[in-house]
Amino acid sequence: MLLPQKPLLPLGAALMASGLSISAFAAEGSESSKAAVLPTIKVEANAEVEKDGYRATTTRVGKTLQDPHDIPQAVTTVTNQLMEDQQVSSLKDALRNVAGLTFNAAEGGRAGDNMMLRGFYTFGDMYLDGIRDTAQYNRETFNLEQIDVLRGAGAMLFGRGQAGGVINQVSKVPHLGDKGKITGSVGMYGYYEMTGDFNKQITDTIAIRFNGMKRAEDGWRKNPAANDRPGLDRDGFAISAGIGLNTANEFILSHIRTTVNDKPDIGVSFDPATRKPQERFPAKYYWGTNNNFDKGTTNITTASFTHRFSPRSEWRTQLRYADYERSYWAKTPNLNNPPSALAVTGGNITRVMDYETLTIQSDYNQRFKLLGMNHEFLAGAEYLYEDSFRHSLQNFGGTTNATPPLFRPYKTNQAGNPVEFDSHSYAFYAQDTIEFIPKWKVTLGGRRDQMKAKYSSLTSPKLNYGEWSLRGALSYHFSDQSHFYIAYSDSFSPTADLYQLTVAPLPPERSQVKEIGAKWLLFDGDLALRAALYRADKQWERNTDLESTASVLTRKRRTDGIELELAGRITSNWEVFSGLALMDSEIRKVAINANPATGILTSANPGYEGQRSRNTPPFTFNLWTTYKLPYGWKVGGGVEVKGKRYGYNPSGTGPIPTLPSETEFHPNTAPAFMRWDAMVAYEQPKWAVRLNVQNVFNKLYYDSIYDNGGFLTPAMRRRAIMTAEYRF
């Protein structure tokens, strides 16, 4: 698919307007222009600032560079140091540290990173450096500095989205000074990983950085008939160049490419007699074979220009082109028949996808004083073009042992119609934080999004959609170490880009989040403690499946919750990262859907009202802590706990799920679990070795659930990984 040329004209004009010119950057590095560099902004240090431990001190999740402590909304940051200590490689593993977050298992064929936060979908709320990254693929962490999770509705800052929050990946960028690191890891179940991170300073203001990764591992489950296992085989690189670093005009150009060649594992079935994971076949049974595949290639190119008018004023513009290609064939488990060597047993999930985006985003922020009051002003605009294609694969075989199924990567099904859309989205937004009296601040912001799209749907082929989003907060800073706030935010979705268009016009998705919170900095700012009490409401919730005819899941759903989080250093040797989330989630009003043939509206079974929402446990808890011992030794460990999670379809008009011969609501249920991890390391200034033992007690547990209730996926059993690291 080719991107249209028309949008490039206004994009070029916008870049010229923002002052992004080659001559400006060339002048920045010349001797004759040094006098023009604002001395108050110039950074004299030649080395990268020491990175955070477990408490992040900076974030751009609020669109400006600030301390998360100052944001009047709950924010969780998974730092690079935390990911390294845990030997984290994927985004999914990193997000195990986020309280109140759960994982879906390929819902609606949506394989890839698919999480729930506060009980709400996040597949439309994935970002990379503040720009949409909503494609269906598996993300790696080798090029991430940190992961910021802004909890609650974030449409005013980021555009259309959900009630749970925004997950923003923060890339590594070039810095002044020469620095490098090489790591190698080996472990059980065929695990190995190689990573490299190299930064080279070219001139006083120019540097380049390269990050690379190669990782492979096998699953612990096995097809007994074929002796085949699921597994991962992934590699990637990211290269970036910075010009004018730490000056008034800074330009960064980057490209990241990742490739995937996995053997997917859908999991095991639920037993309808018990509503628990089936026990007829051992949990170690895998229904796929080596013929199955999950192949994908992701290319993301970004240009970012920042002009600093003064230490209190900045204009930042980003331009990105991204292309996500993916094709997979996965086998679903079978409740009655064991796995077969020819991939005959079980169903087939196939997809071929190509998703391209072009984005330009420009933000201006300034701090100033007006009428005796301090202001922190933010304004910006955004344009997004999307071109999406999705279809099933062609079966070149059959369905029997004589002619078993055979699907090939990227070979599109000749039957049926693909799901396609292309869209243009425009947005502008403004926000001001005003200190109207000492220690008291009010934040008010609004955003307007407009989306025009064309779809392959025969019933609703076009969309012209506009919506306002609001954000407000009242903050009281008793001291520099304490922050108390009351906040409101909302979000929306046009019910089309990630959802099936409705047959009959129905209201759009809307979400509202009310939050009361407190944040404290302890031990001279080394340890951050936060608490939040919130209520999140969502109306006209849509299905995740683009092919679904029952697109509306619920008319109103609510989560009331309490969150506690601790991150940072208790002493110079003792670090901790921990979170507790208590969630009371329920369906308030059941779905209304339109018959695809007649358009007649039908209501879901009213028995779903008052029931706990899907994949939303009543509690989650996570803890990770490390302690530095004498002579370079370091020990650590942690635990992850999640309560029971439901899987069912709340939009059905038939009977509610029950146990056989009973009438009480009892859907398929993923059991609660507790997983323990441990770590011991020996660290020296130039090198280190580390042993991580994941799932120390070899617990059989299920970390992902298909939220419609079909199946769930067992997590990795006990695994030891040895890592060696060399720094220069």
Side-chain angles (χ1 to χ4, degrees), residues 614-681:
R614 308 184 302 173
N615 204 359
T616 308
F619 62 88
T620 75
F621 175 74
N622 61 276
L623 168 69
W624 177 264
T625 184
T626 58
Y627 193 85
K628 292 182 179 179
L629 299 170
Y631 309 110
W633 289 96
K634 182 178 179 180
V635 295
V639 63
E640 176 190 7
V641 183
K642 283 184 172 61
K644 294 180 179 179
R645 291 147 291 149
Y646 289 162
Y648 64 95
N649 185 351
S651 64
T653 58
I656 62 173
T658 64
L659 290 173
S661 303
E662 295 187 8
T663 59
E664 184 179 351
F665 179 74
H666 196 301
N668 291 341
T669 304
F673 70 85
M674 179 183 297
R675 163 184 155 168
W676 292 87
D677 297 333
M679 180 271 286
V680 60

Side-chain angles (χ1 to χ4, degrees), residues 93-104:
D93 282 343
L95 292 177
R96 291 176 50 247
N97 293 288
V98 178
L101 186 143
T102 55
F103 301 102
N104 293 321

Side-chain angles (χ1 to χ4, degrees), residues 240-282:
S240 54
I243 304 174
L245 295 176
N246 299 335
T247 70
N249 293 294
E250 185 175 273
F251 175 68
I252 295 177
L253 179 64
S254 66
H255 178 78
I256 180 170
R257 176 183 174 90
T258 58
T259 60
V260 171
N261 186 15
D262 294 352
K263 299 291 185 293
D265 183 4
I266 295 296
V268 302
S269 301
F270 279 102
D271 187 340
T274 63
R275 299 293 184 183
K276 297 178 181 180
Q278 63 86 24
E279 296 182 351
R280 180 173 181 178
F281 303 110

Side-chain angles (χ1 to χ4, degrees), residues 371-560:
L371 301 177
M373 295 180 288
N374 293 318
H375 293 254
E376 299 171 31
F377 179 73
L378 166 70
E382 183 177 58
Y383 168 78
L384 169 66
Y385 175 78
E386 298 170 275
D387 187 359
S388 178
F389 173 90
R390 177 177 172 182
H391 201 17
S392 58
L393 295 175
Q394 178 72 36
N395 187 358
F396 292 93
T399 58
T400 66
N401 287 327
T403 56
L406 177 61
F407 298 89
R408 295 169 180 164
Y410 301 103
K411 298 299 182 180
T412 305
N413 197 341
Q414 300 302 305
N417 296 316
V419 177
E420 297 179 276
F421 76 84
D422 65 86
S423 71
H424 301 266
S425 300
Y426 308 85
F428 63 88
Y429 45 92
Q431 176 184 280
D432 197 8
T433 298
I434 307 167
E435 188 177 24
F436 55 97
I437 58 176
K439 300 184 179 181
W440 288 87
K441 293 182 179 181
V442 61
T443 298
L444 297 172
R447 175 178 175 128
R448 177 70 179 183
D449 283 87
Q450 192 76 31
M451 179 180 180
K452 297 180 180 180
K454 295 180 181 179
Y455 294 83
S456 58
S457 170
L458 298 177
T459 55
S460 44
K462 292 184 179 181
L463 176 73
N464 190 344
Y465 188 88
E467 194 75 15
W468 283 95
S469 303
L470 303 175
R471 182 177 187 234
L474 177 65
S475 296
Y476 174 56
H477 295 261
F478 177 75
S479 65
D480 291 340
Q481 290 75 39
S482 61
H483 179 193
F484 304 91
Y485 64 88
I486 301 175
Y488 170 85
S489 56
D490 66 7
S491 63
F492 75 97
S493 172
T495 72
D497 59 328
L498 298 170
Y499 308 88
Q500 170 69 29
L501 290 167
T502 54
V503 178
L506 293 172
E509 277 196 340
R510 292 288 330 192
S511 301
Q512 304 83 32
V513 180
K514 308 173 185 70
E515 182 174 301
I516 301 174
K519 301 181 180 184
W520 299 271
L521 296 179
L522 310 174
F523 304 122
D524 296 323
D526 286 341
L527 184 68
L529 171 65
R530 73 164 184 86
L533 175 67
Y534 68 87
R535 166 166 287 180
D537 287 306
K538 186 172 183 178
Q539 295 87 28
W540 296 99
E541 175 189 21
R542 261 38 175 205
N543 201 310
T544 63
D545 193 344
L546 287 167
E547 287 83 11
S548 174
T549 56
S551 58
V552 177
L553 289 172
T554 59
R555 266 193 296 166
K556 185 174 183 179
R557 190 153 68 82
R558 169 177 292 173
T559 301
D560 292 326

Side-chain angles (χ1 to χ4, degrees), residues 91-93 95 101-117 120-126 133-139 162 167 326 328 390 498 543-545 614-615 703-708:
L91 179 69
K92 179 181 176 180
D93 282 343
L95 292 177
L101 186 143
T102 55
F103 301 102
N104 293 321
E107 165 64 25
R110 185 172 288 280
D113 293 323
N114 188 356
M115 283 75 71
M116 306 277 278
L117 183 59
F120 301 97
Y121 292 124
T122 62
F123 54 78
D125 296 296
M126 304 294 294
D133 183 45
T134 56
Q136 297 179 37
Y137 73 107
N138 295 289
R139 297 159 178 85
Q162 310 296 316
I167 299 173
R326 192 173 181 201
Y328 63 88
R390 177 177 172 182
L498 298 170
N543 201 310
T544 63
D545 193 344
R614 308 184 302 173
N615 204 359
D703 64 346
S704 303
I705 180 173
Y706 181 80
D707 55 15
N708 267 349

